[in-house]
Amino acid sequence: MSVTWKATLAAASLAVSASFAHATELRLSHQWSNEDIRHKVAQIVADEVAAADVDLEIKIFGSKSLFKPREQYKPLSRGQLDMTVLPLSYAGGQQPAYNLTLMPGLVKNHDHAARLSDSPFMEALEAKMADDDVMVLVHGYLAGGFAGKDKCITKPADVEGLQTRAAGKAFEQMLAGAGASIASMASSEIYNAMQTGVLDAANTSSSSFVSYRIYEQVKCYTPAGDVALWFMYQPLLMNKSTFDGLTEAQQQALLAASEKAEAFYLEEAKKEDAASVDVFREAGVEIAEMTSEDFDAWRELAKETSYKAFLEEVADGQDLLDKALAVE
């Protein structure tokens, strides 16, 4: 065999090996630190898949090291990214229906959120994801609240005149309706914005309030309690074509890992709210409670702002809203 032919064979063998290695390594992107619950969900999936020994590795790129927080859904849908843990409302620009996954007062508590994830409402959203070549591996909702740099926020009148960050279009519309000025940004940018005086107030998840150390920048914290206005759907998503291209053993390992991660997500999400109160209190931050009357005032405002705008913008919005409201 000639040296040239041997070199050609060796090059071809290396190319095949490289292609095989690439095909069995999945890239997962998210915006949070390694201490955040959403990273832990991703890590469970990665660890369980590795333990299954099906020649599949998930490499996690956290802390927005691979893509900017709000710029992950599009590359995921195009197959440029394999997996992401993403607040689905971040993709509301591509699919306005996703804004319903961060609608004020739509979710009552964590168990209600779990029922929403296993309902015709979620099936309708998953059909829209499938059109974008995206699928859900792990369902999950997180609750959250408000934080004020100089004052407590429990009712609509409290945000009037404040520069406020809200996660998602629906909350921005509601807060604007209450007289707040809106500053749009990812939760990872809240700390610096408060530190530099860009923000007076913010709402986000209990987990993000802690993992981004917002307690260092605020005077008062209104957590998710008996009533929680803020619930946000933040699933682990995957490119559907990438999943379909895996072997059956790899698919089964991934699904089994995702089932375990989803159970963890639900139980830990319940603990996050109480844990965040302890962290803020220990940091010397005042804790405020939202009353049922406060909640009702926010929801009435949301109906006239967020709900109304959603129905005007989304062709099948009424059907989706009805499906969500039908879940007890």
Side-chain angles (χ1 to χ4, degrees):
M1 185 180 290
S2 70
V3 173
T4 302
W5 180 239
K6 286 180 179 179
T8 301
L9 280 178
S13 176
L14 284 171
V16 169
S17 297
S19 175
F20 185 74
H22 176 75
T24 57
E25 180 179 280
L26 303 178
R27 296 188 306 163
L28 191 160
S29 168
H30 68 69
Q31 73 189 66
W32 298 283
S33 72
N34 289 358
E35 299 303 313
D36 191 275
I37 182 176
R38 288 153 291 195
H39 173 79
K40 293 175 182 177
V41 166
Q43 193 65 60
I44 287 172
V45 174
D47 291 345
E48 290 294 310
V49 165
D53 194 23
V54 290
D55 196 27
L56 182 64
E57 179 184 358
I58 298 172
K59 189 172 182 180
I60 300 174
F61 296 83
S63 301
K64 56 183 178 181
S65 59
L66 192 60
F67 290 98
K68 293 180 179 179
R70 293 180 178 274
E71 297 176 6
Q72 298 176 94
Y73 186 82
K74 190 171 288 185
L76 179 74
S77 67
R78 293 175 175 175
Q80 298 162 344
L81 174 65
D82 302 308
M83 305 167 73
T84 182
V85 186
L86 178 78
L88 190 62
S89 68
Y90 280 10
Q94 286 83 44
Q95 285 278 8
Y98 295 165
N99 288 316
L100 199 56
T101 63
L102 181 56
M103 190 63 71
L106 195 65
V107 183
K108 300 179 181 68
N109 53 50
H110 287 287
D111 289 329
H112 183 219
R115 292 192 293 274
L116 277 168
S117 295
D118 186 26
S119 73
F121 161 68
M122 189 56 67
E123 289 175 6
L125 289 186
E126 288 185 278
K128 293 181 182 294
M129 293 183 224
D131 289 340
D132 291 337
D133 201 24
V134 171
M135 61 182 286
V136 178
L137 285 179
V138 179
H139 293 285
Y141 274 89
L142 290 179
F146 287 95
K149 190 171 179 64
D150 300 308
K151 61 183 289 190
C152 295
I153 298 167
T154 59
K155 56 187 182 295
D158 293 334
V159 300
E160 185 174 0
L162 299 186
Q163 188 77 9
T164 306
R165 182 268 183 183
K169 188 174 182 178
F171 267 83
E172 290 180 348
Q173 290 164 338
M174 182 188 70
L175 290 168
S181 297
I182 303 302
S184 297
M185 64 186 71
S187 55
S188 54
E189 299 169 11
I190 293 173
Y191 187 99
N192 286 338
M194 284 193 162
Q195 189 177 45
T196 56
V198 172
L199 277 184
D200 301 310
N203 72 338
T204 189
S205 69
S206 303
S207 181
S208 288
F209 271 128
V210 173
S211 65
Y212 293 129
R213 309 190 320 279
I214 308 303
Y215 48 83
E216 296 178 358
Q217 295 296 326
V218 299
K219 178 181 178 182
C220 188
Y221 177 47
T222 308
D226 293 335
V227 289
L229 185 72
W230 196 101
F231 266 90
M232 190 179 198
Y233 181 60
Q234 306 189 45
L236 194 164
L237 304 174
M238 184 169 183
N239 177 269
K240 191 173 184 304
S241 291
T242 299
F243 179 84
D244 292 341
L246 299 176
T247 67
E248 184 176 352
Q250 290 169 339
Q251 290 178 351
Q252 290 303 314
L254 197 50
L255 292 175
S258 297
E259 184 176 353
K260 182 173 182 177
E262 186 166 310
F264 168 86
Y265 204 173
L266 175 59
E267 290 308 309
E268 289 301 308
K270 293 178 180 180
K271 299 175 185 177
E272 291 280 325
D273 304 330
S276 70
V277 174
D278 293 338
V279 171
F280 273 73
R281 184 175 282 124
E282 288 171 9
V285 177
E286 181 181 352
I287 306 299
E289 296 292 337
M290 184 180 294
T291 67
S292 295
E293 290 74 22
D294 294 333
F295 178 86
D296 290 341
W298 282 112
R299 188 161 56 182
E300 288 305 310
L301 177 61
K303 288 178 181 177
E304 295 303 315
T305 54
S306 312
Y307 286 41
K308 183 179 179 181
F310 178 80
L311 295 177
E312 290 173 351
E313 183 178 1
V314 181
D316 58 344
Q318 188 65 62
D319 179 62
L320 288 169
L321 183 59
D322 289 344
K323 281 184 167 69
L325 292 172
V327 180
E328 295 294 332

